[in-house]
Amino acid sequence: MTAPGPTDTAARLTGLVRALRGHGLRIGPAETVDAAAVLDVLGFADREQMRAGLAAALLRSDGQRAVFDASFDLFFPLGVGTPEALRTDPPPVPDDPEPPRFGRPDPLRDQLRERLAAALAADDRAAQARLAGEVVEAFGRYGTGSTPGSDGWSAHQALGRLSPETLLARILAALRENPGREDLSDRVLADEIRRRIRDFRAQVTTEARRRVAELRGAERIAERAVAPTADRIDFLYAGREQLAELRRTVHPLARKLATRLAARRRRAARGQIDLRRTLRRSLSTGGVPLRPAYRLRRPARPELVLLCDVSGSVSGFADFTMLLVRAMSEQFSKVRVFAFVNRTAEITDLLRENSADPARLAARILAEAKVMGYHGNSDYGSALGEFADRHLDAVGPRTCVLVLGDARNNHRDPNLDALRRIAGRARRVFWLNPEQPALWPTGDSAALAYADVVEMHSCRNARRLGELISRLLPV
């Protein structure tokens, strides 16, 4: 990596810090000054050492590393423009520039696949890095350049053309024929090859993102193209891998929230000032009340009831929240959990038994609990009515009720009277909606109607959920 000038270095560092702050990382002036000192000490000779040093200065947890690495590659790239190796020795360009149709030969693709298979079999990182640049150069360009802003580089397009996943069998056969290979089972070898292919895909993605950043600006691409940290992933749009990452954050988040609730409970135990005891204490200090005395009270731990929509994309939000509450159960005197699609069933015991396999929680609820009637569509009015008729004994004057769902009622009766009955018995009722407020008046949503009865809060990611739980739940 070529060392930038002092002004350019400061601009790159401050741009990196702004990008990380935009993704929710708490980085203050002190951390920024430490990062500048790291650059001054380490220099630019070893890029990976510089990456590790800046990460140590700027980050506070391992969960932030993926966002940092992607942003670092934009502001401190390995190179600029077309890699030097490709400028001096570009890959051959086919006579026919059009992508080959089905059944037609593609010599350039076949050549790159052969070289990639050899590099992956040998685990040659330098060759893989060069190939990543060649693949993006050959297959990743889109647009004609005639319209400003219409051209760019696409890792998805390049990888779709190359299809590196289909090389697994070829690489596995090559490793079997290698007489010096370690004595490993085919399953272990296959897992290792898949890991190498994933790493190569990441290299192609990084290279394409770097080139787009040169066209559009690094800060713009860092804002739009870098995946957020797990606690900022939108519940409604999280994929399977992202939901798995979210589940891994449940216990750290639960410990943090439990500490906050315990601190609130300690502060709440200090009641109003006891004037008589305060005056008696002030006699030892000449009548100056230096140590006020309080009427101590013993706040009981609250009861908690969760009423969760487990249908469709909302199930990921409900799943994560149920796991979080289960991990925090010691903070409440009693926790009861109910799930619904169009019928309501208690799943408290099922949630407790499912601790060994949280990934299958939603599937087990749908399979074992009676949460659906004669159809599989959401019906909040019917579910709230059944809860009010059959399970209202779960709600008392010490109970906080959390309703989890997007309030998409498929144009059915919202049954506001049932929600009023629940709110009339509970200490507090909060509705956590994973949709943004701008969508509440649209389509089949009954969110605004329900918001007239109970407090409704937008809760789109784990960070927002943690803020709401620590702020809203009674102590």
Side-chain angles (χ1 to χ4, degrees):
M1 177 177 175
T2 304
T7 304
D8 191 34
T9 300
R12 289 175 184 270
L13 179 59
T14 54
L16 174 63
V17 169
R18 280 195 299 270
L20 295 177
R21 286 175 178 169
H23 283 280
L25 277 64
R26 295 184 177 180
I27 301 175
E31 289 83 1
T32 306
V33 171
D34 290 343
V38 166
L39 290 179
D40 185 51
V41 171
L42 297 181
F44 298 86
D46 189 331
R47 183 169 177 266
E48 292 309 310
Q49 188 180 52
M50 181 178 66
R51 182 199 299 266
L54 288 178
L58 297 175
L59 304 187
R60 301 188 180 187
S61 69
D62 291 338
Q64 300 170 344
R65 186 58 191 260
V67 171
F68 170 83
D69 283 337
S71 301
F72 175 86
D73 289 330
L74 292 174
F75 289 92
F76 294 91
L78 188 59
V80 178
T82 303
E84 182 67 27
L86 295 183
R87 289 197 293 266
T88 58
D89 186 19
V93 180
D95 296 333
D96 183 3
E98 293 295 325
R101 298 180 181 178
F102 181 77
R104 293 177 58 187
D106 188 349
L108 176 58
R109 175 178 179 271
D110 294 340
Q111 180 200 39
L112 290 174
R113 283 170 57 84
E114 289 289 343
R115 292 171 56 199
L116 178 60
L120 292 174
D123 199 16
D124 187 341
R125 303 299 178 87
Q128 293 172 32
R130 173 184 167 86
L131 280 167
E134 291 187 30
V135 169
V136 173
E137 180 75 18
F139 304 137
R141 186 69 179 258
Y142 64 86
T144 61
S146 58
T147 304
S150 64
D151 55 346
W153 304 89
S154 169
H156 178 76
Q157 175 178 298
L159 290 169
R161 183 86 173 270
L162 189 68
S163 302
E165 294 82 2
T166 60
L167 296 173
L168 176 63
R170 184 186 305 182
I171 301 171
L172 187 59
L175 290 177
R176 286 200 200 101
E177 296 172 358
N178 183 5
R181 75 177 179 90
E182 298 180 7
D183 186 16
L184 299 174
S185 67
D186 286 351
R187 180 175 180 180
V188 174
L189 280 176
D191 289 342
E192 172 63 16
I193 295 168
R194 292 188 184 96
R195 182 194 64 78
R196 296 177 188 178
I197 291 175
R198 285 197 301 270
D199 290 345
F200 177 75
R201 291 180 63 91
Q203 288 179 312
V204 173
T205 301
T206 299
E207 175 66 14
R209 188 187 296 128
R210 176 188 69 81
R211 296 195 182 197
V212 174
E214 292 179 5
L215 295 174
R216 308 280 193 270
E219 293 198 21
R220 181 180 179 186
I221 300 305
E223 176 186 357
R224 301 186 179 186
V226 174
T229 55
D231 62 344
R232 294 172 68 89
I233 295 173
D234 198 316
F235 286 121
L236 293 182
Y237 306 107
R240 180 179 301 177
E241 294 182 359
Q242 292 175 317
L243 287 175
E245 178 65 23
L246 273 174
R247 294 188 188 100
R248 287 192 286 271
T249 68
V250 163
H251 290 287
L253 180 58
R255 288 194 297 269
K256 182 186 297 185
L257 296 181
T259 301
R260 292 178 183 175
L261 290 177
R264 285 180 57 197
R265 192 171 290 114
R266 286 194 300 270
R267 290 195 298 268
R270 300 178 63 180
Q272 296 180 346
I273 291 180
D274 187 327
L275 184 59
R276 180 175 297 179
R277 291 175 56 212
T278 300
L279 291 176
R280 188 181 298 119
R281 283 185 181 182
S282 69
L283 296 178
S284 62
T285 56
V288 180
L290 296 179
R291 295 182 299 118
Y294 295 89
R295 294 189 178 94
L296 299 182
R297 62 187 185 92
R298 304 288 182 184
R301 293 187 178 185
E303 299 175 0
L304 184 64
V305 168
L306 262 67
L307 190 55
C308 312
D309 181 2
V310 294
S311 65
S313 59
V314 186
S315 62
F317 166 51
D319 178 13
F320 179 82
T321 308
M322 287 186 285
L323 293 173
L324 179 63
V325 168
R326 185 189 66 192
M328 296 176 58
S329 58
E330 293 182 358
Q331 299 300 313
F332 307 98
S333 60
K334 184 186 297 185
V335 176
R336 296 181 68 177
V337 183
F338 298 83
F340 68 88
V341 176
N342 47 64
R343 294 190 60 188
T344 303
E346 184 168 6
I347 58 168
T348 306
D349 294 336
L350 181 61
L351 184 65
R352 191 179 299 115
E353 296 168 0
N354 202 59
S355 58
D357 188 12
R360 295 186 62 249
L361 176 59
R364 286 197 62 189
I365 291 172
L366 294 175
E368 301 178 25
K370 296 181 179 179
V371 296
M372 286 187 288
Y374 61 90
H375 62 86
N377 299 324
S378 296
D379 187 343
Y380 281 78
S382 177
L384 291 172
E386 184 172 0
F387 180 84
D389 292 338
R390 298 180 54 190
H391 304 289
L392 203 56
D393 60 326
V395 181
R398 291 171 48 194
T399 304
C400 178
V401 179
L402 292 182
V403 184
L404 313 177
D406 58 3
R408 295 279 167 185
N409 202 36
N410 292 293
H411 302 288
R412 292 183 170 88
D413 179 14
N415 198 353
L416 300 180
D417 289 338
L419 186 59
R420 291 191 184 98
R421 290 172 59 192
I422 298 170
R425 284 180 60 94
R427 179 179 178 181
R428 300 292 296 275
V429 178
F430 301 108
W431 192 304
L432 305 185
N433 192 326
E435 288 190 338
Q436 55 184 321
L439 298 178
W440 294 357
T442 64
D444 60 349
S445 176
L448 296 182
Y450 289 129
D452 288 337
V453 181
V454 298
E455 285 188 43
M456 183 171 290
H457 299 269
S458 177
C459 185
R460 301 178 59 188
N461 52 51
R463 171 171 293 194
R464 176 61 174 165
L465 176 63
E467 293 172 352
L468 289 173
I469 287 180
S470 60
R471 178 167 61 89
L472 298 179
L473 290 186
V475 295

